[in-house]
Amino acid sequence: MLNAAFKDYSLHPATAAFLARAHGLMIDGRSVAALAGRRRDVFDPASEEAFTTVAEASPEDVDLAVAAARRAFEGDWARVTPSQRGRMLNRMAELIETNGDELAELECLNSGKPLQFCRNVDIFGVADMFRYMAGWATKITGDTHNPSMPGEWHAYTLRQPVGVVGQILPWNFPMNMAAWKIAPALAAGCTIVLKPAEATPLTALRLAELALEAGIPAGVINVVTGKGSVIGDAITNHPGIDKVAFTGSTEVGQHIARNCVSSNLKKVSLELGGKSPVIVFPDADLDAAVAGIAGSIFFHAGQVCAAGSRLYVHEKIYDRVVEAVAAKAAGLKVGPGMLPDHDLGPVISRAQRESVMAYIEKGRAEGAEVLTGGRALGAKGHFVEPTVLAGTGPGMAVHDEEIFGPVLCAMRFGDEDLDAIAARANASPYGLSSSIWTRDLSVAHRLAKRIQSGIVNVNTHTSPDASLPYGGYKQSGWGRERGAEVLDLYTQIKAVAVKLA
Ligand code: NAD
């Protein structure tokens, strides 16, 4: 069945109970109505039905959230020891696992991603991020220094929390992106005003409730739901916010960076778009490569910042690999993520489906050959067929721009040197992720050095581990999330110099 009505889903009792509640803003540990009393619908992208509502905040609500976060930062949260923070983060991880069925269903209903991925992949990743950051809470330290200035000195650095942080999330991985931002900010001792994407507010609200249950004091995590252009702007312009962490499109990222600079020069980190290359050499394990290529672009209907959307295959194996990827694409089952056995859910919205279809049409008009897919599916629900395009290259919109849909551009390369292959991979304003498929370690490491992207994967396209720094070269962003590196975003260094004699 391609389309389903919301009533066709069988929901866990905890999910049904959550959906039945009136969702307010989470401010100072309480769920409160928006000051202006406005609410907005939340839609299921598979059935296009509104299934619950959330509060729609205004800038005045953001003021209250910032004030609560500031009070917590200077009050209760400042008195919590690093060890206690670590224990709270570990408790969060346990609660995420205990409430995994509910969280996975909320994520699936709201984002359209197949339930089995939400349950088996997302819940693990989200809990793991809290556990990994729990370990860091007690290990954030400064250094001692040996100054060469005349006299006798005792000099050291303190690494201190940056303060109240504004965190703005995208709709493709709402719960993961929340965890990537909340967990390190709390490990570092910051407090938070979090804004989920308009389309996907539910798991962020539920995580904020679980945080209270985990013992994290009121006011440490505040969640405001509503329009990016209104409350996103209020957050990025707010004088009471010390730092903004953003994940989303490059265009909005540029706007946010300008706001952060022109308001109070707040610090800002940006995780932005991508157009990631996948490079396959003839000596690769081709079965693994085909599965990896298909997974990298069709998982979550291609709405993945790191999606492997530009495929470069050596001409010796091009036909074999591209035909196999196209066959795999044609065999994928597209349908509501809440119903079993679907590989791909819908894209997030009508506008997103129209945008993906417009790219496919533009590709056709510019001379691309559609090897498989290329159509929107169903009368209801925002479904798009997994699509493979050949005959694409630089200068074509499908090659140059982020589509954020299940559309792969396949291209060939010959016996070129690694600099030439790297130049093809690097011919993009983005530089987020990439993958190299080969059994030749020398080729893999030499090419890894040459590719301009924040992460290079070899014989896989994904490596979603909490310990690995993640972020972009070029227009894919500023800063690194995950790993020890993310703590740089949420801490600042103070040098203390004591003249002893
Ligand atoms: P988006 O830029 O449209 O929206 C992201 C967030 O910004 C949303 O919460 C939105 O409400 C908010 N926003 C919109 N206008 C704003 C404004 N004027 N001020 C402040 N906030 C505002 O992005 P999206 O469509 O939700 O997500 C898709 C994009 O995110 C893609 O480009 C994708 O590559 C990128 N992404 C990047 C990563 C990464 O780690 N690099 C991860 C996931 C998604």
Side-chain angles (χ1 to χ4, degrees):
M1 186 195 312
L2 182 59
N3 300 125
F6 193 82
K7 63 178 166 34
D8 295 336
Y9 306 151
S10 104
L11 296 181
H12 191 282
T15 312
F18 179 82
L19 293 181
R21 281 160 39 196
H23 308 293
L25 311 170
M26 176 62 83
I27 297 181
D28 213 4
R30 289 185 314 122
S31 176
V32 296
L35 287 172
R38 278 197 296 271
R39 302 194 65 75
R40 59 185 296 127
D41 287 334
V42 179
F43 290 91
D44 163 25
S47 67
E48 300 187 41
E49 290 174 34
F51 62 95
T52 189
T53 64
V54 292
E56 171 143 2
S58 59
E60 292 71 31
D61 297 297
V62 172
D63 289 342
L64 294 181
V66 173
R70 178 64 57 191
R71 279 194 303 277
F73 181 71
E74 288 168 2
D76 288 352
W77 193 231
R79 289 187 282 276
V80 172
T81 65
S83 164
Q84 287 168 328
R85 291 205 302 272
R87 264 180 279 160
M88 289 171 189
L89 289 171
N90 272 322
R91 178 87 185 107
M92 255 316 260
E94 283 160 23
L95 286 169
I96 286 159
E97 285 165 346
T98 315
N99 293 275
D101 290 334
E102 177 192 354
L103 286 166
E105 285 187 3
L106 291 176
E107 190 80 338
C108 171
L109 286 170
N110 209 178
S111 73
K113 196 186 319 161
L115 184 59
Q116 69 269 22
F117 290 113
C118 300
R119 187 67 189 92
N120 301 332
V121 182
D122 287 354
I123 295 299
F124 171 81
V126 169
D128 203 50
M129 181 56 76
F130 277 95
R131 262 196 198 106
Y132 175 81
M133 288 298 161
W136 272 114
T138 47
K139 296 164 195 73
I140 299 172
T141 58
D143 296 313
T144 55
H145 290 252
N146 297 313
S148 300
M149 299 177 285
E152 212 173 313
W153 294 82
H154 172 47
Y156 58 95
T157 54
L158 295 173
R159 186 178 276 269
Q160 296 184 312
V162 80
V164 174
V165 301
Q167 302 184 323
I168 300 178
L169 308 180
W171 43 256
N172 61 340
F173 288 91
M175 192 168 34
N176 263 289
M177 295 299 105
W180 286 25
K181 289 191 167 38
I182 294 172
L186 297 190
C190 296
T191 59
I192 296 169
V193 176
L194 182 90
K195 193 203 89 58
E198 286 92 328
T200 53
L202 298 182
T203 41
L205 289 169
R206 188 69 186 111
L207 286 177
E209 291 176 353
L210 293 179
L212 292 170
E213 210 177 314
I216 294 167
V220 173
I221 303 175
N222 304 277
V223 181
V224 285
T225 50
K227 275 187 91 152
S229 56
V230 178
I231 55 169
D233 261 359
I235 289 171
T236 55
N237 280 319
H238 206 291
I241 289 187
D242 302 301
K243 180 230 159 26
V244 164
F246 171 74
T247 298
S249 61
T250 295
E251 191 188 359
V252 174
Q254 287 173 323
H255 172 79
I256 283 177
R258 281 192 290 270
N259 281 355
C260 289
V261 168
S262 63
S263 53
N264 56 342
L265 207 59
K266 54 176 74 67
K267 291 163 181 59
V268 56
S269 51
L270 305 168
E271 293 280 359
L272 308 176
K275 190 78 186 177
S276 300
V278 176
I279 305 165
V280 189
F281 289 90
D283 69 331
D285 173 342
L286 295 188
D287 290 341
V290 166
I293 295 160
S296 80
I297 185 65
F298 301 129
F299 170 62
H300 197 18
Q303 302 167 111
V304 179
C305 51
S309 49
R310 288 184 293 139
L311 172 64
Y312 299 93
V313 188
H314 190 280
E315 59 194 6
K316 269 193 210 142
I317 49 162
Y318 176 87
D319 288 342
R320 185 173 153 198
V321 168
V322 173
E323 274 165 29
V325 172
K328 211 167 186 62
L332 293 172
K333 292 198 194 113
V334 183
M338 280 298 290
L339 300 181
D341 299 330
H342 289 131
D343 302 300
L344 259 79
V347 297
I348 190 72
S349 63
R350 183 167 294 272
Q352 186 64 14
R353 183 167 84 163
E354 282 168 7
S355 161
V356 174
M357 293 313 299
Y359 271 113
I360 295 173
E361 288 320 310
K362 209 164 175 190
R364 276 197 178 104
E366 288 177 343
E369 182 191 354
V370 180
L371 298 182
T372 187
R375 293 175 308 164
L377 292 174
K380 241 172 88 183
H382 313 303
F383 298 98
V384 179
E385 277 183 326
T387 299
V388 179
L389 304 178
T392 57
M396 295 169 71
V398 287
H399 172 280
D400 294 349
E401 296 170 25
E402 183 182 45
I403 299 176
F404 226 54
V407 182
L408 177 67
C409 292
M411 289 155 285
R412 65 181 85 219
F413 64 91
D415 288 325
E416 302 159 29
D417 66 20
L418 293 182
D419 288 326
I421 295 169
R424 288 172 186 264
N426 294 337
S428 168
Y430 296 112
L432 189 59
S433 185
S434 56
S435 60
I436 302 167
W437 297 79
T438 179
R439 288 187 169 102
D440 185 330
L441 282 180
S442 166
V443 165
H445 288 298
R446 287 169 61 221
L447 196 50
K449 251 191 204 167
R450 288 164 170 77
I451 290 182
Q452 297 162 347
S453 69
I455 192 152
V456 179
N457 298 294
V458 179
N459 296 329
T460 177
H461 190 80
T462 52
S463 43
D465 194 89
S467 73
L468 285 173
Y470 188 88
Y473 275 41
K474 301 192 276 187
Q475 292 182 37
S476 288
W478 288 347
R480 294 293 178 269
E481 294 195 326
R482 305 193 315 201
E485 287 76 2
V486 68
L487 297 167
D488 294 342
L489 304 183
Y490 293 106
T491 55
Q492 51 195 343
I493 300 280
K494 180 184 286 174
V496 182
V498 185
K499 191 158 192 325
L500 299 172

